[in-house]
Structures are given as structure tokens and as C-alpha cells.
Amino acid sequence: MEEEEFKSSSTLAITALALVGVVAVGAPLVSVAGIALVTDMQAAAGPCSPSAVVSDGEAEDTVINVPNGWGPLVEEAAKTAGLPVSVVAAQLQQESNWNPHAGSAAGAQGIAQFMPDTWAAYGQGGDVTDPEDAIPAYGRYMAALRNEVKDLAGDDADQLVRLTLAAYNAGPGAVQQHEGVPPFAETQRYVETILDGGQVEFSPGCKAPTGAKAWDGDLGDGEWTAPLPPVRQDGVRHQHC
């Protein structure tokens, strides 16, 4: 009886360690309660939990979690704008939460929150509340903003994405005046929100989009990275969250 209980306990311990898979050499072992906590954290991580990470062969111009079959429209708008498709999806969600009839007190309308004058310039006579018209128009507008700030970015693709988002939020004039993302808390927060949302919500491989902060190999409190950090030669993967 004691031998059976010993075998059962050993099997449980081995299984628990295999599930964690993040114990570095020389690090203290994680308790069963700790394993449950890690599992709960991963389950709550959303689309970028390990189970959602797809193969490295996933095309970079695809997007997930776009509602109502608008994914192809978003992908085409991203090509027009010259922006990562996950960033485009995150920006549209931030602006309207995918509501074609969204409006603001300032007069912005539609899924991309066009002001009337801007819609007149880029809407090509379409309906601002129709995503079939508004999403392509958004792509054209973002392409124009990107063109206005691209000289400031030089050959830095990451900076170009950030400057384009800043130009949408604060205006291209403010970006040019400050020769970079303006030192406005709202604009800086807006840029980071879009980039973070692009990775967490809309990237099929949980891959950080161009413009996002690159992982420096040292995760601070509350930081995570995806795809997961590389597996060491001994088969141990560093914990990512």
C-alpha cells in the first residue's frame, strides 16, 4: 500500500514539473499551488496565451479577432497604409470598438472616426458609416499621414509606425514640430495602447508588430513577451509572464 502511494505521489510530482516547464537550472521548484497559479495566469492571458501561439510560418499580413468578416478589409487597408495589419486592427478597435455608427462630441463618425472634412478628402463619396467604404478610406488616410512623417523616421521602420500613429492622434504638424512623437501624455499613451493591442489581440502568432518595444531579454515586473523566449539547449524555456 505504501509503495503504491509512493508511486502515485512520484507520478504526480513528475507530471506537475512537466506542465510548468519553466524551472531554470538551479532555481527553486514550484509548489503545486504555484503551478495552479501559473495555469490560471496563462488561461487569463487572452489571445497571446501559449495555446494561441501559431507556427512561425503564419503569414505576416493576416489578422485574427476582427469581427463581422471585416478581416480582408483590414488587411487591404494595412497594405494601403503601409502599416502592420495588427496595428491597423488595434487602431480601429480603439477608435470605435468596431461600431460603424460610432460618433464623438467633436463630430467624428464611423468605424475609423473621420471628421467631416477628412472624410470629404478621403471617403471618395462613400458612406462613412459603411465599413466597406470607411475601412479603405482609413487606409488611404493613414498612408497620407505616413507619407508626411516618413522623412523624420529615416530608415527606422519602427519609428515610422510610431510617428504615423502619433500623427493620427496629434496631427502631423505636431510630429514635425517635435521631430518625433510629441511629448503629450495622451499621444504617447495612444501609441503604446495601439501597439500593445496589436500584439495581444490581433497578431495570429502573438508577434510584436513593427513599432513595438523589442524584448531586451530581461522581463521586469508585469512584463511579458511573445512569441515565447527561445528554448535553451538543455530544453528549458524561460518563463514569459
Side-chain angles (χ1 to χ4, degrees):
M1 183 67 176
E2 292 180 354
E3 182 178 355
E4 290 180 356
E5 290 177 353
F6 174 80
K7 289 181 179 179
S8 176
S9 299
S10 299
T11 302
L12 177 60
I14 293 172
T15 302
L17 289 177
L19 287 173
V20 176
V22 295
V23 180
V25 175
L29 299 181
V30 182
S31 66
V32 174
I35 293 170
L37 177 60
V38 170
T39 303
D40 290 343
M41 289 173 63
Q42 291 177 339
C48 266
S49 62
S51 61
V53 179
V54 300
S55 67
D56 292 338
E58 185 72 35
E60 293 183 358
D61 59 350
T62 58
V63 67
I64 60 173
N65 294 334
V66 173
N68 303 319
W70 294 332
L73 285 171
V74 172
E75 291 168 6
E76 191 60 33
K79 292 178 183 178
T80 299
L83 295 172
V85 64
S86 60
V87 168
V88 167
Q91 188 175 17
L92 291 172
Q93 175 169 274
Q94 177 70 17
E95 290 300 320
S96 65
N97 199 28
W98 303 108
N99 179 5
H101 299 284
S104 75
Q109 292 180 290
I111 198 168
Q113 290 294 276
F114 277 99
M115 294 297 289
D117 289 346
T118 308
W119 179 253
Y122 295 95
Q124 296 185 350
D127 181 355
V128 72
T129 65
D130 184 351
E132 296 279 347
D133 294 332
I135 294 177
Y138 157 87
R140 293 189 292 270
Y141 178 50
M142 295 303 291
L145 292 178
R146 181 177 181 273
N147 188 58
E148 287 196 54
V149 300
K150 66 180 182 180
D151 289 343
L152 291 173
D155 295 328
D156 190 335
D158 293 301
Q159 181 70 349
L160 180 54
V161 171
R162 300 176 74 86
L163 293 182
T164 303
L165 292 173
Y168 180 95
N169 180 262
V175 173
Q176 292 165 349
Q177 177 185 350
H178 294 280
E179 298 183 344
V181 176
F184 310 148
E186 177 188 340
T187 300
Q188 293 179 354
R189 185 168 55 249
Y190 181 84
V191 171
E192 296 303 327
T193 296
I194 300 303
L195 293 174
D196 289 348
Q199 179 177 7
V200 175
E201 297 292 335
F202 301 104
S203 172
C206 296
K207 185 176 182 180
T210 304
K213 177 183 177 182
W215 180 56
D216 59 8
D218 182 18
L219 298 181
D221 292 340
E223 291 185 335
W224 56 277
T225 181
L228 303 180
V231 176
R232 299 200 316 240
Q233 290 183 353
D234 59 8
V236 176
R237 190 190 295 277
H238 293 287
Q239 189 170 348
H240 73 288
C241 60

